[in-house]
Amino acid sequence: MSATMLARPRETFPARVSGLTITPVAPALWRVSRTGGAVLGHIERRGSDEVERWAARRVTAGGIRSLPLGEFWSASDAAECFR
């Protein structure tokens, strides 16, 4: 099988927040960056269709580790914590 056949589609983030660029990086995972390019962290969708949560993590200086910011009931709330 080729890598193209194994790749899962990446979803567009379901909310827009001014000043932030949110890019899909894996299924249910998005990178959050400033419009100018600096990476701020990641948002991950957790749970099922019935109980969906959004976890936000801020990247620390150097970008090697991340710190949890919390879990949210909506994608827009998770993204707002990066503004």
Side-chain angles (χ1 to χ4, degrees):
M1 281 188 170
S2 70
T4 306
M5 291 174 64
L6 295 174
R8 290 196 248 165
R10 295 178 181 166
E11 301 172 53
T12 302
F13 194 69
R16 289 188 183 265
V17 178
S18 65
L20 298 177
T21 300
I22 304 175
T23 309
V25 293
L29 182 66
W30 294 266
R31 178 185 304 115
V32 180
S33 57
R34 293 194 193 285
T35 304
V39 175
L40 301 173
H42 293 91
I43 297 174
E44 178 183 15
R45 183 180 56 232
R46 297 182 177 169
S48 65
D49 292 334
E50 296 162 5
V51 181
E52 202 170 59
R53 301 281 289 169
W54 301 85
R57 297 186 317 260
R58 181 171 294 279
V59 174
T60 61
I64 296 172
R65 297 186 329 185
S66 63
L67 300 171
L69 295 176
E71 288 195 13
F72 303 88
W73 288 111
S74 74
S76 60
D77 286 347
E80 282 291 337
C81 72
F82 289 101
R83 288 188 350 129

